[in-house]
Amino acid sequence: MIILDTSAVNALAAGHKMLNLLAGNMARTPGDRLNIPALCLMRAEADDADLARRALALSSVVIDTLDTAAAVTVGTLIRDGYGGPDTCHALYCALPRPEFTGMSILLTGNENAYPPGIVTVDIDSPGMLGFS
């Protein structure tokens, strides 16, 4: 699963070349989606009007909702000092969950916001996810 945190959502909606190429490639691959945690979308929209409309216009984008289990876990992560609501929701999405198999990759503009053990990829790294 590929997850976009707030910084990655901002970049995607602003036309970031590699993220838009990735979104286009994923749209052509059945079952592949870019997951945006709901609280990351909320934070990005709060900072930039109509950002959500631009991000959600891409067919490969889906929203990871904040259900009961997620709300409790995200609240615990916030209380334990892992960051703000959006960062903690992205972290929650990157943690192993029964409904998702395989490794999650968290695309971000700030790899230092996440603890060790979380696979993060800087959206501006050369050759992000094998694209150049």
Side-chain angles (χ1 to χ4, degrees), residues 25-73:
N25 288 339
M26 292 186 90
R28 291 187 293 276
T29 307
D32 282 350
R33 298 289 173 256
L34 294 174
N35 292 277
I36 299 175
L39 295 180
C40 292
L41 183 64
M42 176 208 64
R43 178 75 256 162
E45 177 65 22
D47 293 339
D48 181 1
D50 290 330
L51 179 139
R53 182 183 51 78
R54 294 190 308 272
L56 296 174
L58 301 166
S59 63
S60 58
V61 169
V62 296
I63 302 304
D64 199 305
T65 61
L66 191 68
D67 62 14
T68 305
V72 171
T73 305

mmCIF file of all heavy atoms in Angstrom, residues 25-73:
data_model
loop_
_atom_site.group_PDB
_atom_site.id
_atom_site.type_symbol
_atom_site.label_atom_id
_atom_site.label_comp_id
_atom_site.label_asym_id
_atom_site.label_seq_id
_atom_site.Cartn_x
_atom_site.Cartn_y
_atom_site.Cartn_z
ATOM 1 N N ASN A 25 0.187 6.164 -13.501
ATOM 2 C CA ASN A 25 0.534 4.757 -13.677
ATOM 3 C C ASN A 25 -0.363 3.855 -12.833
ATOM 4 O O ASN A 25 -0.778 2.789 -13.281
ATOM 5 C CB ASN A 25 2.004 4.514 -13.321
ATOM 6 C CG ASN A 25 2.946 5.076 -14.361
ATOM 7 O OD1 ASN A 25 2.568 5.312 -15.506
ATOM 8 N ND2 ASN A 25 4.179 5.323 -13.963
ATOM 9 N N MET A 26 -0.669 4.273 -11.616
ATOM 10 C CA MET A 26 -1.512 3.457 -10.741
ATOM 11 C C MET A 26 -2.952 3.406 -11.251
ATOM 12 O O MET A 26 -3.643 2.412 -11.049
ATOM 13 C CB MET A 26 -1.452 3.982 -9.310
ATOM 14 C CG MET A 26 -0.074 3.757 -8.699
ATOM 15 S SD MET A 26 0.004 4.177 -6.989
ATOM 16 C CE MET A 26 -0.440 2.609 -6.274
ATOM 17 N N ALA A 27 -3.393 4.445 -11.906
ATOM 18 C CA ALA A 27 -4.752 4.463 -12.458
ATOM 19 C C ALA A 27 -4.919 3.394 -13.547
ATOM 20 O O ALA A 27 -6.020 2.906 -13.772
ATOM 21 C CB ALA A 27 -5.080 5.842 -13.020
ATOM 22 N N ARG A 28 -3.826 3.026 -14.183
ATOM 23 C CA ARG A 28 -3.876 2.023 -15.245
ATOM 24 C C ARG A 28 -3.635 0.601 -14.735
ATOM 25 O O ARG A 28 -3.662 -0.343 -15.507
ATOM 26 C CB ARG A 28 -2.858 2.366 -16.324
ATOM 27 C CG ARG A 28 -3.210 3.615 -17.109
ATOM 28 C CD ARG A 28 -2.278 3.841 -18.277
ATOM 29 N NE ARG A 28 -0.911 4.170 -17.882
ATOM 30 C CZ ARG A 28 -0.484 5.386 -17.567
ATOM 31 N NH1 ARG A 28 -1.316 6.384 -17.571
ATOM 32 N NH2 ARG A 28 0.773 5.591 -17.251
ATOM 33 N N THR A 29 -3.376 0.464 -13.439
ATOM 34 C CA THR A 29 -3.094 -0.843 -12.856
ATOM 35 C C THR A 29 -4.231 -1.231 -11.926
ATOM 36 O O THR A 29 -4.429 -0.590 -10.892
ATOM 37 C CB THR A 29 -1.762 -0.807 -12.063
ATOM 38 O OG1 THR A 29 -0.738 -0.284 -12.905
ATOM 39 C CG2 THR A 29 -1.378 -2.193 -11.588
ATOM 40 N N PRO A 30 -4.995 -2.269 -12.282
ATOM 41 C CA PRO A 30 -6.127 -2.661 -11.429
ATOM 42 C C PRO A 30 -5.682 -2.981 -9.999
ATOM 43 O O PRO A 30 -4.701 -3.676 -9.776
ATOM 44 C CB PRO A 30 -6.664 -3.916 -12.112
ATOM 45 C CG PRO A 30 -6.171 -3.846 -13.514
ATOM 46 C CD PRO A 30 -4.863 -3.110 -13.446
ATOM 47 N N GLY A 31 -6.399 -2.416 -9.042
ATOM 48 C CA GLY A 31 -6.125 -2.698 -7.641
ATOM 49 C C GLY A 31 -5.105 -1.799 -6.986
ATOM 50 O O GLY A 31 -5.002 -1.773 -5.767
ATOM 51 N N ASP A 32 -4.315 -1.066 -7.759
ATOM 52 C CA ASP A 32 -3.315 -0.169 -7.177
ATOM 53 C C ASP A 32 -3.936 1.195 -6.907
ATOM 54 O O ASP A 32 -4.601 1.771 -7.776
ATOM 55 C CB ASP A 32 -2.115 0.009 -8.112
ATOM 56 C CG ASP A 32 -1.168 -1.158 -8.064
ATOM 57 O OD1 ASP A 32 -1.322 -2.015 -7.176
ATOM 58 O OD2 ASP A 32 -0.267 -1.218 -8.923
ATOM 59 N N ARG A 33 -3.730 1.691 -5.710
ATOM 60 C CA ARG A 33 -4.298 2.971 -5.318
ATOM 61 C C ARG A 33 -3.313 3.743 -4.449
ATOM 62 O O ARG A 33 -2.500 3.160 -3.735
ATOM 63 C CB ARG A 33 -5.593 2.784 -4.527
ATOM 64 C CG ARG A 33 -6.700 2.104 -5.293
ATOM 65 C CD ARG A 33 -7.259 3.030 -6.373
ATOM 66 N NE ARG A 33 -8.212 2.341 -7.216
ATOM 67 C CZ ARG A 33 -7.967 1.918 -8.458
ATOM 68 N NH1 ARG A 33 -6.787 2.087 -8.994
ATOM 69 N NH2 ARG A 33 -8.896 1.335 -9.161
ATOM 70 N N LEU A 34 -3.435 5.053 -4.481
ATOM 71 C CA LEU A 34 -2.718 5.925 -3.566
ATOM 72 C C LEU A 34 -3.668 6.217 -2.412
ATOM 73 O O LEU A 34 -4.758 6.742 -2.620
ATOM 74 C CB LEU A 34 -2.320 7.234 -4.251
ATOM 75 C CG LEU A 34 -1.309 7.124 -5.385
ATOM 76 C CD1 LEU A 34 -1.131 8.481 -6.063
ATOM 77 C CD2 LEU A 34 0.020 6.616 -4.861
ATOM 78 N N ASN A 35 -3.266 5.854 -1.215
ATOM 79 C CA ASN A 35 -4.114 6.025 -0.031
ATOM 80 C C ASN A 35 -3.756 7.323 0.676
ATOM 81 O O ASN A 35 -2.595 7.537 1.027
ATOM 82 C CB ASN A 35 -3.913 4.855 0.933
ATOM 83 C CG ASN A 35 -4.457 3.576 0.355
ATOM 84 O OD1 ASN A 35 -5.635 3.313 0.453
ATOM 85 N ND2 ASN A 35 -3.581 2.793 -0.270
ATOM 86 N N ILE A 36 -4.784 8.142 0.910
ATOM 87 C CA ILE A 36 -4.601 9.381 1.646
ATOM 88 C C ILE A 36 -5.372 9.264 2.950
ATOM 89 O O ILE A 36 -6.597 9.099 2.936
ATOM 90 C CB ILE A 36 -5.105 10.599 0.849
ATOM 91 C CG1 ILE A 36 -4.337 10.735 -0.465
ATOM 92 C CG2 ILE A 36 -4.979 11.872 1.692
ATOM 93 C CD1 ILE A 36 -4.854 11.847 -1.370
ATOM 94 N N PRO A 37 -4.679 9.318 4.078
ATOM 95 C CA PRO A 37 -5.389 9.316 5.359
ATOM 96 C C PRO A 37 -6.318 10.531 5.444
ATOM 97 O O PRO A 37 -5.936 11.645 5.064
ATOM 98 C CB PRO A 37 -4.263 9.403 6.391
ATOM 99 C CG PRO A 37 -3.057 8.868 5.678
ATOM 100 C CD PRO A 37 -3.217 9.316 4.256
ATOM 101 N N ALA A 38 -7.521 10.326 5.930
ATOM 102 C CA ALA A 38 -8.532 11.390 5.974
ATOM 103 C C ALA A 38 -8.021 12.638 6.693
ATOM 104 O O ALA A 38 -8.292 13.765 6.256
ATOM 105 C CB ALA A 38 -9.799 10.866 6.645
ATOM 106 N N LEU A 39 -7.275 12.461 7.780
ATOM 107 C CA LEU A 39 -6.802 13.625 8.526
ATOM 108 C C LEU A 39 -5.690 14.372 7.776
ATOM 109 O O LEU A 39 -5.506 15.571 7.978
ATOM 110 C CB LEU A 39 -6.351 13.232 9.927
ATOM 111 C CG LEU A 39 -7.476 12.708 10.827
ATOM 112 C CD1 LEU A 39 -6.931 12.348 12.206
ATOM 113 C CD2 LEU A 39 -8.611 13.708 10.933
ATOM 114 N N CYS A 40 -4.973 13.692 6.893
ATOM 115 C CA CYS A 40 -3.988 14.372 6.043
ATOM 116 C C CYS A 40 -4.708 15.218 4.997
ATOM 117 O O CYS A 40 -4.311 16.357 4.723
ATOM 118 C CB CYS A 40 -3.067 13.361 5.366
ATOM 119 S SG CYS A 40 -1.968 12.510 6.515
ATOM 120 N N LEU A 41 -5.784 14.668 4.425
ATOM 121 C CA LEU A 41 -6.575 15.431 3.469
ATOM 122 C C LEU A 41 -7.202 16.642 4.155
ATOM 123 O O LEU A 41 -7.212 17.747 3.603
ATOM 124 C CB LEU A 41 -7.645 14.541 2.843
ATOM 125 C CG LEU A 41 -8.499 15.205 1.767
ATOM 126 C CD1 LEU A 41 -7.652 15.594 0.563
ATOM 127 C CD2 LEU A 41 -9.620 14.268 1.340
ATOM 128 N N MET A 42 -7.715 16.446 5.368
ATOM 129 C CA MET A 42 -8.313 17.543 6.129
ATOM 130 C C MET A 42 -7.301 18.660 6.363
ATOM 131 O O MET A 42 -7.581 19.829 6.116
ATOM 132 C CB MET A 42 -8.824 17.034 7.475
ATOM 133 C CG MET A 42 -9.372 18.135 8.364
ATOM 134 S SD MET A 42 -9.231 17.786 10.124
ATOM 135 C CE MET A 42 -7.470 17.710 10.381
ATOM 136 N N ARG A 43 -6.099 18.302 6.820
ATOM 137 C CA ARG A 43 -5.060 19.298 7.096
ATOM 138 C C ARG A 43 -4.662 20.035 5.822
ATOM 139 O O ARG A 43 -4.501 21.261 5.800
ATOM 140 C CB ARG A 43 -3.837 18.603 7.711
ATOM 141 C CG ARG A 43 -2.658 19.494 8.009
ATOM 142 C CD ARG A 43 -2.887 20.339 9.235
ATOM 143 N NE ARG A 43 -3.177 21.693 8.779
ATOM 144 C CZ ARG A 43 -3.749 22.638 9.503
ATOM 145 N NH1 ARG A 43 -4.141 22.395 10.714
ATOM 146 N NH2 ARG A 43 -3.966 23.834 9.024
ATOM 147 N N ALA A 44 -4.491 19.301 4.726
ATOM 148 C CA ALA A 44 -4.098 19.921 3.459
ATOM 149 C C ALA A 44 -5.189 20.862 2.951
ATOM 150 O O ALA A 44 -4.894 21.966 2.477
ATOM 151 C CB ALA A 44 -3.784 18.839 2.427
ATOM 152 N N GLU A 45 -6.441 20.456 3.054
ATOM 153 C CA GLU A 45 -7.555 21.297 2.612
ATOM 154 C C GLU A 45 -7.673 22.539 3.483
ATOM 155 O O GLU A 45 -7.998 23.622 2.992
ATOM 156 C CB GLU A 45 -8.863 20.510 2.632
ATOM 157 C CG GLU A 45 -10.096 21.306 2.253
ATOM 158 C CD GLU A 45 -10.138 21.806 0.814
ATOM 159 O OE1 GLU A 45 -9.439 21.239 -0.060
ATOM 160 O OE2 GLU A 45 -10.878 22.772 0.549
ATOM 161 N N ALA A 46 -7.405 22.407 4.770
ATOM 162 C CA ALA A 46 -7.463 23.560 5.676
ATOM 163 C C ALA A 46 -6.436 24.620 5.286
ATOM 164 O O ALA A 46 -6.671 25.814 5.463
ATOM 165 C CB ALA A 46 -7.243 23.116 7.117
ATOM 166 N N ASP A 47 -5.321 24.191 4.725
ATOM 167 C CA ASP A 47 -4.256 25.108 4.326
ATOM 168 C C ASP A 47 -4.425 25.662 2.917
ATOM 169 O O ASP A 47 -3.856 26.698 2.586
ATOM 170 C CB ASP A 47 -2.891 24.412 4.414
ATOM 171 C CG ASP A 47 -2.485 24.081 5.840
ATOM 172 O OD1 ASP A 47 -3.028 24.709 6.772
ATOM 173 O OD2 ASP A 47 -1.651 23.172 6.005
ATOM 174 N N ASP A 48 -5.187 24.956 2.069
ATOM 175 C CA ASP A 48 -5.286 25.334 0.651
ATOM 176 C C ASP A 48 -6.679 24.982 0.134
ATOM 177 O O ASP A 48 -6.977 23.816 -0.109
ATOM 178 C CB ASP A 48 -4.210 24.593 -0.146
ATOM 179 C CG ASP A 48 -4.206 24.925 -1.629
ATOM 180 O OD1 ASP A 48 -5.018 25.750 -2.083
ATOM 181 O OD2 ASP A 48 -3.374 24.338 -2.351
ATOM 182 N N ALA A 49 -7.509 26.001 -0.042
ATOM 183 C CA ALA A 49 -8.874 25.778 -0.528
ATOM 184 C C ALA A 49 -8.858 25.062 -1.877
ATOM 185 O O ALA A 49 -8.018 25.345 -2.737
ATOM 186 C CB ALA A 49 -9.610 27.109 -0.658
ATOM 187 N N ASP A 50 -9.739 24.119 -2.046
ATOM 188 C CA ASP A 50 -9.915 23.321 -3.269
ATOM 189 C C ASP A 50 -8.823 22.287 -3.501
ATOM 190 O O ASP A 50 -8.812 21.617 -4.525
ATOM 191 C CB ASP A 50 -10.054 24.200 -4.521
ATOM 192 C CG ASP A 50 -11.365 24.962 -4.544
ATOM 193 O OD1 ASP A 50 -12.362 24.461 -3.982
ATOM 194 O OD2 ASP A 50 -11.394 26.068 -5.120
ATOM 195 N N LEU A 51 -7.892 22.147 -2.562
ATOM 196 C CA LEU A 51 -6.862 21.125 -2.702
ATOM 197 C C LEU A 51 -7.500 19.741 -2.766
ATOM 198 O O LEU A 51 -7.108 18.910 -3.582
ATOM 199 C CB LEU A 51 -5.869 21.194 -1.545
ATOM 200 C CG LEU A 51 -4.768 20.147 -1.598
ATOM 201 C CD1 LEU A 51 -3.446 20.750 -1.193
ATOM 202 C CD2 LEU A 51 -5.085 18.950 -0.744
ATOM 203 N N ALA A 52 -8.478 19.482 -1.921
ATOM 204 C CA ALA A 52 -9.118 18.167 -1.903
ATOM 205 C C ALA A 52 -9.743 17.855 -3.261
ATOM 206 O O ALA A 52 -9.636 16.728 -3.745
ATOM 207 C CB ALA A 52 -10.170 18.098 -0.797
ATOM 208 N N ARG A 53 -10.366 18.828 -3.868
ATOM 209 C CA ARG A 53 -10.974 18.614 -5.186
ATOM 210 C C ARG A 53 -9.919 18.222 -6.212
ATOM 211 O O ARG A 53 -10.119 17.293 -6.997
ATOM 212 C CB ARG A 53 -11.701 19.888 -5.626
ATOM 213 C CG ARG A 53 -12.412 19.756 -6.963
ATOM 214 C CD ARG A 53 -13.065 21.067 -7.396
ATOM 215 N NE ARG A 53 -12.190 22.236 -7.355
ATOM 216 C CZ ARG A 53 -11.262 22.513 -8.279
ATOM 217 N NH1 ARG A 53 -11.073 21.707 -9.295
ATOM 218 N NH2 ARG A 53 -10.511 23.594 -8.177
ATOM 219 N N ARG A 54 -8.774 18.882 -6.175
ATOM 220 C CA ARG A 54 -7.705 18.556 -7.124
ATOM 221 C C ARG A 54 -7.139 17.168 -6.869
ATOM 222 O O ARG A 54 -6.894 16.405 -7.808
ATOM 223 C CB ARG A 54 -6.602 19.615 -7.053
ATOM 224 C CG ARG A 54 -7.048 20.990 -7.529
ATOM 225 C CD ARG A 54 -5.897 21.977 -7.682
ATOM 226 N NE ARG A 54 -5.020 22.118 -6.538
ATOM 227 C CZ ARG A 54 -5.213 22.974 -5.536
ATOM 228 N NH1 ARG A 54 -6.267 23.755 -5.509
ATOM 229 N NH2 ARG A 54 -4.332 23.053 -4.550
ATOM 230 N N ALA A 55 -6.936 16.816 -5.611
ATOM 231 C CA ALA A 55 -6.371 15.503 -5.281
ATOM 232 C C ALA A 55 -7.367 14.386 -5.594
ATOM 233 O O ALA A 55 -6.992 13.339 -6.129
ATOM 234 C CB ALA A 55 -5.963 15.452 -3.817
ATOM 235 N N LEU A 56 -8.622 14.594 -5.245
ATOM 236 C CA LEU A 56 -9.628 13.545 -5.438
ATOM 237 C C LEU A 56 -10.072 13.397 -6.886
ATOM 238 O O LEU A 56 -10.753 12.430 -7.230
ATOM 239 C CB LEU A 56 -10.832 13.811 -4.532
ATOM 240 C CG LEU A 56 -10.521 13.739 -3.034
ATOM 241 C CD1 LEU A 56 -11.733 14.154 -2.219
ATOM 242 C CD2 LEU A 56 -10.040 12.352 -2.646
ATOM 243 N N ALA A 57 -9.671 14.315 -7.747
ATOM 244 C CA ALA A 57 -9.985 14.195 -9.170
ATOM 245 C C ALA A 57 -9.192 13.063 -9.826
ATOM 246 O O ALA A 57 -9.573 12.567 -10.893
ATOM 247 C CB ALA A 57 -9.688 15.513 -9.885
ATOM 248 N N LEU A 58 -8.129 12.634 -9.183
ATOM 249 C CA LEU A 58 -7.302 11.550 -9.713
ATOM 250 C C LEU A 58 -7.964 10.208 -9.385
ATOM 251 O O LEU A 58 -8.263 9.933 -8.217
ATOM 252 C CB LEU A 58 -5.895 11.616 -9.122
ATOM 253 C CG LEU A 58 -5.153 12.924 -9.409
ATOM 254 C CD1 LEU A 58 -3.938 13.054 -8.523
ATOM 255 C CD2 LEU A 58 -4.775 12.998 -10.871
ATOM 256 N N SER A 59 -8.174 9.390 -10.378
ATOM 257 C CA SER A 59 -8.905 8.135 -10.176
ATOM 258 C C SER A 59 -8.162 7.121 -9.326
ATOM 259 O O SER A 59 -8.768 6.200 -8.784
ATOM 260 C CB SER A 59 -9.262 7.505 -11.528
ATOM 261 O OG SER A 59 -8.081 7.159 -12.234
ATOM 262 N N SER A 60 -6.857 7.278 -9.156
ATOM 263 C CA SER A 60 -6.090 6.313 -8.378
ATOM 264 C C SER A 60 -6.044 6.659 -6.890
ATOM 265 O O SER A 60 -5.456 5.930 -6.102
ATOM 266 C CB SER A 60 -4.664 6.209 -8.921
ATOM 267 O OG SER A 60 -4.031 7.470 -8.883
ATOM 268 N N VAL A 61 -6.682 7.755 -6.493
ATOM 269 C CA VAL A 61 -6.650 8.208 -5.103
ATOM 270 C C VAL A 61 -7.862 7.683 -4.341
ATOM 271 O O VAL A 61 -8.992 7.764 -4.821
ATOM 272 C CB VAL A 61 -6.613 9.750 -5.039
ATOM 273 C CG1 VAL A 61 -6.856 10.251 -3.627
ATOM 274 C CG2 VAL A 61 -5.281 10.271 -5.568
ATOM 275 N N VAL A 62 -7.613 7.120 -3.156
ATOM 276 C CA VAL A 62 -8.679 6.710 -2.244
ATOM 277 C C VAL A 62 -8.369 7.290 -0.867
ATOM 278 O O VAL A 62 -7.217 7.559 -0.543
ATOM 279 C CB VAL A 62 -8.846 5.174 -2.150
ATOM 280 C CG1 VAL A 62 -9.272 4.581 -3.476
ATOM 281 C CG2 VAL A 62 -7.580 4.510 -1.656
ATOM 282 N N ILE A 63 -9.414 7.456 -0.067
ATOM 283 C CA ILE A 63 -9.253 8.013 1.271
ATOM 284 C C ILE A 63 -9.324 6.896 2.291
ATOM 285 O O ILE A 63 -10.231 6.071 2.254
ATOM 286 C CB ILE A 63 -10.347 9.064 1.564
ATOM 287 C CG1 ILE A 63 -10.293 10.187 0.530
ATOM 288 C CG2 ILE A 63 -10.195 9.627 2.981
ATOM 289 C CD1 ILE A 63 -8.957 10.888 0.407
ATOM 290 N N ASP A 64 -8.353 6.873 3.189
ATOM 291 C CA ASP A 64 -8.356 5.933 4.309
ATOM 292 C C ASP A 64 -9.124 6.622 5.428
ATOM 293 O O ASP A 64 -8.664 7.602 6.000
ATOM 294 C CB ASP A 64 -6.927 5.606 4.745
ATOM 295 C CG ASP A 64 -6.852 4.335 5.550
ATOM 296 O OD1 ASP A 64 -7.575 4.249 6.567
ATOM 297 O OD2 ASP A 64 -6.081 3.441 5.173
ATOM 298 N N THR A 65 -10.325 6.130 5.705
ATOM 299 C CA THR A 65 -11.214 6.792 6.652
ATOM 300 C C THR A 65 -10.739 6.626 8.086
ATOM 301 O O THR A 65 -9.902 5.778 8.393
ATOM 302 C CB THR A 65 -12.644 6.253 6.523
ATOM 303 O OG1 THR A 65 -12.631 4.853 6.807
ATOM 304 C CG2 THR A 65 -13.192 6.493 5.131
ATOM 305 N N LEU A 66 -11.320 7.420 8.939
ATOM 306 C CA LEU A 66 -11.006 7.378 10.360
ATOM 307 C C LEU A 66 -12.153 6.651 11.058
ATOM 308 O O LEU A 66 -13.082 7.270 11.555
ATOM 309 C CB LEU A 66 -10.826 8.786 10.905
ATOM 310 C CG LEU A 66 -10.238 8.904 12.303
ATOM 311 C CD1 LEU A 66 -8.791 8.450 12.309
ATOM 312 C CD2 LEU A 66 -10.326 10.330 12.801
ATOM 313 N N ASP A 67 -12.078 5.325 11.072
ATOM 314 C CA ASP A 67 -13.107 4.541 11.744
ATOM 315 C C ASP A 67 -12.802 4.480 13.234
ATOM 316 O O ASP A 67 -11.880 5.132 13.727
ATOM 317 C CB ASP A 67 -13.226 3.142 11.135
ATOM 318 C CG ASP A 67 -11.947 2.321 11.260
ATOM 319 O OD1 ASP A 67 -11.037 2.688 12.026
ATOM 320 O OD2 ASP A 67 -11.865 1.279 10.579
ATOM 321 N N THR A 68 -13.585 3.708 13.981
ATOM 322 C CA THR A 68 -13.439 3.651 15.435
ATOM 323 C C THR A 68 -12.046 3.205 15.857
ATOM 324 O O THR A 68 -11.402 3.846 16.699
ATOM 325 C CB THR A 68 -14.500 2.715 16.046
ATOM 326 O OG1 THR A 68 -15.785 3.159 15.618
ATOM 327 C CG2 THR A 68 -14.424 2.704 17.550
ATOM 328 N N ALA A 69 -11.570 2.107 15.285
ATOM 329 C CA ALA A 69 -10.244 1.599 15.660
ATOM 330 C C ALA A 69 -9.156 2.606 15.315
ATOM 331 O O ALA A 69 -8.224 2.828 16.106
ATOM 332 C CB ALA A 69 -9.973 0.269 14.975
ATOM 333 N N ALA A 70 -9.283 3.233 14.156
ATOM 334 C CA ALA A 70 -8.289 4.228 13.752
ATOM 335 C C ALA A 70 -8.319 5.425 14.685
ATOM 336 O O ALA A 70 -7.266 5.923 15.099
ATOM 337 C CB ALA A 70 -8.532 4.674 12.314
ATOM 338 N N ALA A 71 -9.517 5.888 15.049
ATOM 339 C CA ALA A 71 -9.634 7.053 15.929
ATOM 340 C C ALA A 71 -8.974 6.800 17.277
ATOM 341 O O ALA A 71 -8.252 7.654 17.805
ATOM 342 C CB ALA A 71 -11.100 7.432 16.112
ATOM 343 N N VAL A 72 -9.193 5.625 17.828
ATOM 344 C CA VAL A 72 -8.594 5.292 19.122
ATOM 345 C C VAL A 72 -7.073 5.204 19.007
ATOM 346 O O VAL A 72 -6.336 5.758 19.835
ATOM 347 C CB VAL A 72 -9.185 3.976 19.678
ATOM 348 C CG1 VAL A 72 -8.419 3.502 20.908
ATOM 349 C CG2 VAL A 72 -10.666 4.153 19.994
ATOM 350 N N THR A 73 -6.595 4.537 17.978
ATOM 351 C CA THR A 73 -5.148 4.378 17.806
ATOM 352 C C THR A 73 -4.477 5.710 17.505
ATOM 353 O O THR A 73 -3.418 6.021 18.069
ATOM 354 C CB THR A 73 -4.847 3.359 16.697
ATOM 355 O OG1 THR A 73 -5.523 2.137 16.989
ATOM 356 C CG2 THR A 73 -3.357 3.100 16.574
#
